[in-house]
Amino acid sequence: MASITPVLESSFFNLGKKSRKGRFNQISSLPISAFAEKKARMVVISATAATGRQMNSRYPGEAKGFVEEMRFVAMKLHTRDQAREGEKEPEGPPMAKWEPTVEGYLKFLVDSKLVFETLERIVERAAFPEYVEFRNTGLERAECLGKDLEWFKLQGHVIPEPSSPGVNYVGYLEKLSKEDPQAFICHFYNTYFAHSAGGRMIGRKVSQKTLNGKELEFYAWKGDLSQLLQDVRDKLNNVAKSWTREEKNHCLEETEKSFKFSGSILHLILS
């Protein structure tokens, strides 16, 4: 009824005013009670129609599950040289023109190891029950990165300490994981799924230019990767079923922050 009152008040004060054609507005001939009843019906019909439109509307990818919604948002934040659906302009040189160094690549691998260790520790600790679903998925990377860094050490390279991009990111993840599970799961999804797709492509290019094509453990999974990813998709979709639309939107809104943090680590390759 609160939405009806302003309509009645507005119409009441217009009673007796002439229309554009100079005639008295037809509304003045209606009894106030009949007019109120008519307006009430109009408001109810309008509200019902709006609700129907809202129920029938779909977020991009929603029909296929929440992971598809996350994928859709993530693709829009890719650059055109990273994905066909990408819309962002690259901030630096396009990937084809990268000139990576072993030193920069080592910084990237060290910070990446720190991030994956943190993600794996968070889901093991499970401050929220839904994190338990993401233990031992087969996508874990910290152990593989440890083996790769050991290989570099045997080749005579000095392994650097983690740098500020990785340290800042894991600090943010730790805090987020205790306070905001929807936002944390956005970072979890983007970190693992981005590495399994664009991350592998970048790894191959860097390896060709700096390691004579050697494939690192970082880019090798035990078992069928496509099935491992599908299993995690199913878990993510299942967890998101209990979220409200507002919580889902909040998760999607965290995507840009995820890209900024991971992008700062990725660009260590060129340092």
Side-chain angles (χ1 to χ4, degrees):
M1 293 298 293
S3 60
I4 299 173
T5 304
V7 176
L8 290 176
E9 290 175 347
S10 174
S11 300
F12 179 79
F13 286 113
N14 281 323
L15 291 178
K17 288 186 178 181
K18 290 188 177 182
S19 67
R20 291 177 182 175
K21 293 185 179 180
R23 292 173 301 185
F24 282 103
N25 208 320
Q26 291 181 354
I27 199 172
S28 61
S29 63
L30 286 173
I32 293 297
S33 59
F35 174 66
E37 183 179 350
K38 181 177 180 182
K39 280 293 181 182
R41 286 198 302 271
M42 290 171 63
V43 169
V44 170
I45 292 169
S46 176
T48 302
T51 301
R53 286 193 299 271
Q54 187 175 11
M55 290 177 65
N56 290 329
S57 65
R58 288 278 191 179
Y59 286 77
E62 185 179 3
K64 294 183 179 180
F66 187 62
V67 170
E68 185 64 16
E69 292 187 52
M70 288 197 285
R71 191 196 72 82
F72 180 87
V73 174
M75 284 297 104
K76 296 299 180 184
L77 293 174
H78 279 72
T79 59
R80 293 184 180 89
D81 66 331
Q82 291 174 327
R84 285 180 297 177
E85 300 169 70
E87 296 184 357
K88 301 281 282 188
E89 293 292 341
E91 294 181 2
M95 199 177 303
K97 296 183 178 181
W98 280 14
E99 293 297 335
T101 64
V102 175
E103 291 74 21
Y105 195 32
L106 277 170
K107 291 178 185 178
F108 163 74
L109 293 174
V110 167
D111 279 29
S112 294
K113 180 174 181 287
L114 183 63
V115 171
F116 282 103
E117 282 177 337
T118 302
L119 290 169
E120 290 161 27
R121 183 172 61 251
I122 287 170
V123 298
E124 187 63 34
R125 189 174 57 212
F128 289 90
E130 49 262 60
Y131 297 170
V132 175
E133 294 292 324
F134 307 108
R135 294 174 179 169
N136 303 316
T137 62
L139 299 182
E140 291 79 15
R141 297 289 87 196
E143 184 179 349
C144 298
L145 280 161
K147 292 178 181 178
D148 288 332
L149 292 173
E150 187 62 31
W151 178 84
F152 276 99
K153 188 183 296 184
L154 292 174
Q155 306 308 306
H157 296 285
V158 177
I159 308 303
E161 292 296 316
S163 57
S164 57
V167 172
N168 291 339
Y169 193 17
V170 300
Y172 182 74
L173 287 173
E174 288 280 9
K175 184 175 186 296
L176 203 64
S177 68
K178 298 172 186 175
E179 302 172 356
D180 194 338
Q182 285 79 29
F184 170 74
I185 285 176
C186 174
H187 289 263
F188 178 92
Y189 162 79
N190 280 295
T191 300
Y192 282 101
F193 278 69
H195 175 65
S196 70
R200 285 195 294 168
M201 177 183 68
I202 293 167
R204 283 195 298 269
K205 289 183 179 296
V206 175
S207 177
Q208 289 166 4
K209 291 190 174 185
T210 63
L211 303 177
N212 296 318
K214 175 180 171 57
E215 183 173 334
L216 299 180
E217 293 286 335
F218 191 26
Y219 306 100
W221 287 261
K222 294 179 181 178
D224 181 358
L225 177 58
S226 61
Q227 185 59 55
L228 294 174
L229 291 169
Q230 185 56 52
D231 290 343
V232 176
R233 283 190 196 95
D234 292 341
K235 290 175 184 293
L236 287 164
N237 282 330
N238 188 55
V239 164
K241 284 180 182 178
S242 64
W243 294 352
T244 64
R245 185 65 253 177
E246 288 74 17
E247 288 171 331
K248 290 179 180 179
N249 289 347
H250 177 61
C251 177
L252 297 175
E253 288 163 1
E254 190 71 15
T255 307
E256 190 166 1
K257 285 185 181 178
S258 172
F259 269 62
K260 285 181 179 178
F261 278 114
S262 60
S264 65
I265 294 175
L266 178 63
H267 280 86
L268 289 171
I269 293 174
L270 303 179
S271 63

